Amino acid sequence: MMNRTAFIKFRGNNSFLLHSLSSFQSGTHKASLHSNVSFLIHKITNLNDALELFDEMSHRQPLPSVVHFTQLLNAVTKMKHFSSSLDLFKQMCSLGVPVNEYSMSIAIKCCCQLYRSKDGFAVLGCCFRRAIAPDVYIFNALLDGLVLEDRILEAEMLFKKLIKQKLCEPDVVMYSTMIKGLCKFGNNVTALALLRLMEQTNCKSNIVTYNTIIDSLCKDKMIDDAFKLFKEMVFREGILPDVITYNTLICGLCKLGRWDEASKLLKEMEDENISPNVHTFNVLVDAFCKEGKVEEAEVVISIMIERGKALDLVTYNSLIDGYCLRGEMIKAREIFDSITLRGLIPDVVTYNSLLNGYCKNRNIEEAMQMFHEMIVKGWALCSCAQTL
DNA sequence: ATAGGGTTAG
């Protein structure tokens, strides 16, 4: 086993290592090689560091354990670099690291999040061939993948099959994922029925289950049903609402123009010691902008700034929409230009908003210029561009 | 022994 000093020497003048050196010296970590690997993995904050560490790990003799590789894979997956994570998984396999259900579940999750649930099921086949028993994490990843691809019938079939054939015991995540799928398909009735079915099992629903259905009801403008479910969750189930619950309900109220109730709820959440976050403020900004009430939106923004909340692209995109709606294209353009100055990168939604604004306000020259910029960025076929 | 999942805004 290598001690700490030897390990540091071994790593040479690598920037990532130097960066974590100070924490090493102040920490009380054991100097064993393996605790060092775990320690380094938990400090990963970007893809490059992760790839660098993987490369270094793969050259060790003996190889670090599957646990360490899986920890690293998990870090990459959490950063949403699904393709890279899959690449690393493949490299891991060719290095001869004995993969297990943990690493398999990450690989399957990555396939599914890349809209490649077909490949996810192929990896499931590998599990069976290698006598790795798929667990509930693996099946949840596959179920989520089918929902993501709008393959709701197959999702339902998989869900039913798992239960009928007792392939795994469905847990709250599996129920919630199936409920999300039903909601996505506009089937609130069946989603609620599934919530009721859960009550007859020993699998208890939680805040995510409720948030999912409450959100779906809000999106369908069934705000009163949403509140009924909200009250059931709090008073019958004793589940405390979180910031997502409040954001969802406030969004539902705002979209119906029920401002008084929205502001009451905003106060209620603060009374409950749940602070509004950027999401909350963005909901308000967007709702105001969609009604052309840009002044009110600007007031919300000044409160955000007061509270140290950084405006993000969603905030700016809403503002652009608001100014476009009022035909104030110079102001809209100013917001657009300020995005880059603040270190953010305008996305396809930003461009669409401004393009749309120019079209509706009959500024064809500016619109064409936007459109050409979008072509350069490869966004030419986006919906609003067709309004040209 | 160790490692993994689901919910909100433009």
Side-chain angles (χ1 to χ4, degrees):
Chain A
M1 204 136 311
M2 219 184 279
N3 67 29
R4 186 216 289 160
T5 324
F7 173 57
I8 290 164
K9 269 190 194 150
F10 174 69
R11 293 289 290 132
N13 61 353
N14 172 303
S15 60
F16 169 59
L17 189 85
L18 284 175
H19 176 71
S20 34
L21 206 59
S22 51
S23 330
F24 257 126
Q25 285 159 344
S26 58
T28 54
H29 290 271
K30 279 188 187 154
S32 81
L33 178 65
H34 288 288
S35 68
N36 284 347
V37 175
S38 282
F39 180 70
L40 290 173
I41 290 166
H42 289 298
K43 284 199 74 92
I44 295 277
T45 57
N46 65 64
L47 182 59
N48 269 344
D49 286 352
L51 297 179
E52 220 168 77
L53 183 58
F54 184 94
D55 183 58
E56 192 267 316
M57 281 165 67
S58 63
H59 287 98
R60 286 190 184 192
Q61 202 55 256
L63 279 175
S65 74
V66 62
V67 175
H68 290 126
F69 277 108
T70 311
Q71 279 178 330
L72 185 54
L73 238 57
N74 189 38
V76 176
T77 307
K78 280 212 173 117
M79 292 187 282
K80 300 196 183 291
H81 294 294
F82 302 116
S83 306
S84 305
S85 183
L86 268 182
D87 282 344
L88 295 183
F89 177 78
K90 282 178 204 153
Q91 284 184 52
M92 225 175 101
C93 293
S94 48
L95 283 168
V97 177
V99 294
N100 55 16
E101 70 268 29
Y102 289 96
S103 34
M104 285 294 197
S105 79
I106 294 180
I108 291 174
K109 184 188 160 58
C110 289
C111 293
C112 290
Q113 293 297 309
L114 291 164
Y115 290 79
R116 286 162 46 186
S117 61
K118 195 165 177 276
D119 295 333
F121 280 100
V123 178
L124 179 69
C126 294
C127 287
F128 289 125
R129 280 197 295 282
R130 292 173 185 228
I132 294 169
D135 59 13
V136 70
Y137 287 91
I138 287 181
F139 288 122
N140 283 344
L142 290 166
L143 190 68
D144 202 31
L146 291 174
V147 169
L148 199 66
E149 291 176 34
D150 289 328
R151 293 161 62 177
I152 189 70
L153 287 178
E154 288 154 278
E156 275 187 280
M157 272 160 55
L158 175 65
F159 180 69
K160 285 179 183 159
K161 181 177 166 161
L162 293 175
I163 294 175
K164 263 192 195 146
Q165 304 187 2
K166 295 191 194 309
L167 293 169
C168 77
E169 186 70 35
D171 64 3
V172 62
V173 177
M174 183 166 286
Y175 278 107
S176 301
T177 305
M178 193 63 242
I179 284 173
K180 177 179 73 177
L182 292 164
C183 288
K184 193 178 176 189
F185 220 67
N187 200 340
N188 293 336
V189 175
T190 311
L192 273 165
L194 197 51
L195 179 72
R196 300 305 168 216
L197 197 76
M198 281 181 79
E199 289 164 5
Q200 293 164 29
T201 69
N202 50 14
C203 176
K204 268 189 77 70
S205 52
N206 65 12
I207 186 73
V208 179
T209 327
Y210 274 96
N211 283 348
T212 305
I213 307 181
I214 288 172
D215 176 57
S216 182
L217 292 169
C218 285
K219 286 205 167 85
D220 291 344
K221 302 193 191 303
M222 298 164 73
I223 196 87
D224 299 320
D225 291 292
F227 272 105
K228 231 172 90 185
L229 206 58
F230 173 77
K231 287 182 181 119
E232 169 190 309
M233 175 183 90
V234 179
F235 298 114
R236 202 189 76 190
E237 299 298 314
I239 299 170
L240 289 177
D242 63 5
V243 66
I244 296 181
T245 323
Y246 279 109
N247 289 350
T248 303
L249 286 167
I250 289 171
C251 182
L253 287 170
C254 287
K255 279 191 178 150
L256 290 173
R258 286 159 71 164
W259 296 99
D260 292 345
E261 289 156 275
S263 103
K264 248 175 70 185
L265 209 56
L266 199 61
K267 192 178 175 314
E268 183 185 311
M269 77 187 274
E270 302 228 59
D271 289 343
E272 300 291 328
N273 268 326
I274 297 168
S275 337
N277 57 16
V278 177
H279 230 102
T280 322
F281 289 115
N282 282 346
V283 165
L284 299 173
V285 168
D286 187 61
F288 278 127
C289 286
K290 282 217 167 42
E291 290 196 9
K293 298 176 173 166
V294 186
E295 288 80 9
E296 283 89 339
E298 297 278 12
V299 171
V300 176
I301 287 174
S302 61
I303 297 170
M304 285 175 81
I305 295 167
E306 251 170 54
R307 297 198 180 190
K309 303 271 185 267
L311 313 200
D312 61 14
L313 199 55
V314 178
T315 329
Y316 291 114
N317 287 347
S318 294
L319 266 182
I320 290 175
D321 266 340
Y323 282 114
C324 286
L325 186 67
R326 301 215 310 199
E328 296 176 29
M329 293 312 295
I330 295 181
K331 196 76 185 138
R333 182 73 205 200
E334 263 175 43
I335 307 278
F336 179 85
D337 292 333
S338 77
I339 290 175
T340 327
L341 296 174
R342 288 170 204 276
L344 296 168
I345 301 158
D347 66 2
V348 62
V349 179
T350 322
Y351 277 87
N352 262 339
S353 292
L354 205 55
L355 172 67
N356 221 356
Y358 283 132
C359 288
K360 287 204 170 127
N361 290 288
R362 302 185 183 283
N363 193 335
I364 299 308
E365 239 169 75
E366 295 283 0
M368 282 313 285
Q369 207 205 310
M370 265 348 281
F371 186 60
H372 285 304
E373 279 184 49
M374 292 177 78
I375 289 174
V376 171
K377 289 178 190 290
W379 294 332
L381 290 176
C382 290
S383 55
C384 290
Q386 291 162 16
T387 56
L388 274 173

